[in-house]
Amino acid sequence: MTHTDPDCIFCKIVAGQLPSKKVYEDDELFAFHDISPWAPVHFLIVPKAHIESMAHLQPEHEAMLGRIMALAPRLALEQGCKPYPEGGFRIVVNTGAEGGQEVGHLHVHVMGGPRPWLKG
Ligand code: 5GP
Ligand code: ZN
């Protein structure tokens, strides 16, 4: 049974208890559009399990993280990012208060599309 937190908004999105614009789903990962995008393409990839942040990663999470990183380029193209090298994308994982993390469920931002962007 996957660990979830009943008070976590991203656990609720994964469970379908809160609406989201889904980009991708499999057994252990879920991806959806950011509600207030910083770039023309901006979606989040999250583990379905409630892992609070990068600072909470354990050795058993390595394969899952690798899968997120391998999935990101594929979904970026599907969502409209142009191919490398003219296009591309940016991956950001905010971690902790000073790292700018606002939601306490590990999430990988994938951003791309024509500039300028709101942030960055
Ligand atoms: P953080 O600052 O924690 O790295 O990023 C959290 C991100 O989650 C923000 O970019 C914010 O717009 C997004 N976000 C917060 N609440 C929701 C929500 O309810 N739905 C969606 N789709 N995105 C959200
Ligand atoms: Zn959660």
Side-chain angles (χ1 to χ4, degrees):
M1 180 66 192
T2 300
H3 174 61
T4 60
D5 177 343
D7 298 323
C8 168
I9 57 169
F10 286 179
C11 282
K12 288 181 184 169
I13 284 175
V14 166
Q17 293 161 358
L18 275 179
S20 72
K21 283 170 66 185
K22 183 163 89 174
V23 166
Y24 176 85
E25 179 172 15
D26 66 30
D27 285 353
E28 65 179 350
L29 304 179
F30 194 91
F32 54 101
H33 289 277
D34 196 291
I35 204 166
S36 61
W38 313 345
V41 175
H42 186 177
F43 59 90
L44 307 173
I45 308 176
V46 306
K48 286 188 169 178
H50 182 81
I51 301 165
E52 197 165 326
S53 80
M54 290 282 284
H56 296 75
L57 289 174
Q58 300 297 320
E60 64 264 29
H61 299 135
E62 286 176 4
M64 177 275 292
L65 264 186
R67 292 195 59 239
I68 291 179
M69 289 299 165
L71 182 63
R74 194 184 111 199
L75 296 184
L77 286 175
E78 283 179 17
Q79 293 305 313
C81 293
K82 287 190 187 154
Y84 181 92
E86 293 80 13
F89 53 86
R90 172 182 288 178
I91 286 178
V92 169
V93 190
N94 296 326
T95 306
E98 293 187 343
Q101 184 177 5
E102 291 177 356
V103 177
H105 180 131
L106 175 62
H107 51 282
V108 173
H109 294 261
V110 183
M111 290 159 279
R115 290 175 180 274
W117 296 356
L118 189 61
K119 297 189 195 178

